[in-house]
Each structure stands twice: as structure tokens, then as C-alpha cells.
Amino acid sequence: MFICGYHFPADMGNNVSFDKVIEKIEEGTNATGKTVTLTSETKEGTILETLIVPEGTFAHTAFVDYFDNVAEMKGETKMIYYTNKYQISEISKSVDGDITKDLCRKLDDMNLYRVKVA
């Protein structure tokens, strides 16, 4: 099972706890002092909006980790695909609460997102 780009043993099935995922992500990256910007766009490339992910949240750390360690593409921005953004959103809803509620609602759509970490 792959969650947020990390492999978890098959014997865990679909019951990988959020704590295990958070632990993997936090040990893989240092998000302190970094700014995460998400740009949503349609499949035709029309930019819809730019979002700033609140620092200190799981979502922030997970997007930095995705940008630095998971995404294999090169460049100033990296496309995040539905599965990854959905998984980050689901965990963030649970652990970040109201801080990322509006952001997570947007991530559950079918638009494409580019991640930029500075």
C-alpha cells in the first residue's frame, strides 16, 4: 500500500493509521521556514486560484515532503496528482482540523494542482 508516496507493508491492508503516515513524512523532511503555495488549474491549464498552506500543519509538512522527496519531476513547481492530494487532505482533515478545513475542501475537487516550495 502506498500512502503519500510511502510504501507500507501489505499485511497492514487499508488500515494504515494516520500516525504511521505522519511519522514517515515527518522523519523524511524539515518543513520549518518554508512556504508552500498550491496553484489550482483546469485540465486545459487555466489557473483558478493560488493557495498558501498554513505552516505548522500536517498539510504543510506533507506538501514539502512531496515536493522534496516524492515527486520525481524537476522544476520550480511540481504537479500533484489526485491520489496524493486526496490522501494529504484526508489526514489533514483529521489532524489539522479547522486550520486547513477550507484548503482540504478545495483539494477534494478534480482540478489539477501545482506545488511550489520556497
Side-chain angles (χ1 to χ4, degrees):
M1 166 70 79
F2 280 91
I3 301 176
C4 295
Y6 289 97
H7 180 262
F8 292 89
D11 64 353
M12 295 178 90
N14 290 332
N15 296 321
V16 178
S17 74
F18 288 167
D19 291 339
K20 296 267 187 219
V21 178
I22 293 167
E23 181 180 310
K24 274 271 202 213
I25 288 172
E26 287 179 347
E27 75 184 27
T29 194
N30 179 6
T32 305
K34 296 182 179 179
T35 301
V36 177
T37 307
L38 302 176
T39 305
S40 67
E41 58 186 70
T42 64
K43 64 182 179 180
E44 292 80 20
T46 303
I47 294 177
L48 300 173
E49 68 180 315
T50 300
L51 308 164
I52 303 295
V53 181
E55 190 172 353
T57 62
F58 167 78
H60 181 266
T61 304
F63 282 116
V64 171
D65 180 66
Y66 178 83
F67 188 88
D68 289 346
N69 302 319
V70 177
E72 296 177 0
M73 55 205 98
K74 304 280 185 220
E76 187 177 294
T77 63
K78 298 181 181 182
M79 188 67 69
I80 186 162
Y81 300 101
Y82 185 75
T83 302
N84 293 89
K85 74 180 180 95
Y86 177 77
Q87 291 170 340
I88 291 170
S89 172
E90 284 303 301
I91 296 171
S92 182
K93 286 176 196 174
S94 176
V95 300
D96 293 332
D98 287 343
I99 298 169
T100 60
K101 180 175 68 173
D102 292 336
L103 172 72
C104 291
R105 188 175 306 126
K106 292 176 184 191
L107 292 175
D108 289 341
D109 65 20
M110 293 302 290
N111 292 321
L112 303 173
Y113 285 82
R114 294 187 186 274
V115 180
K116 180 177 180 178
V117 174

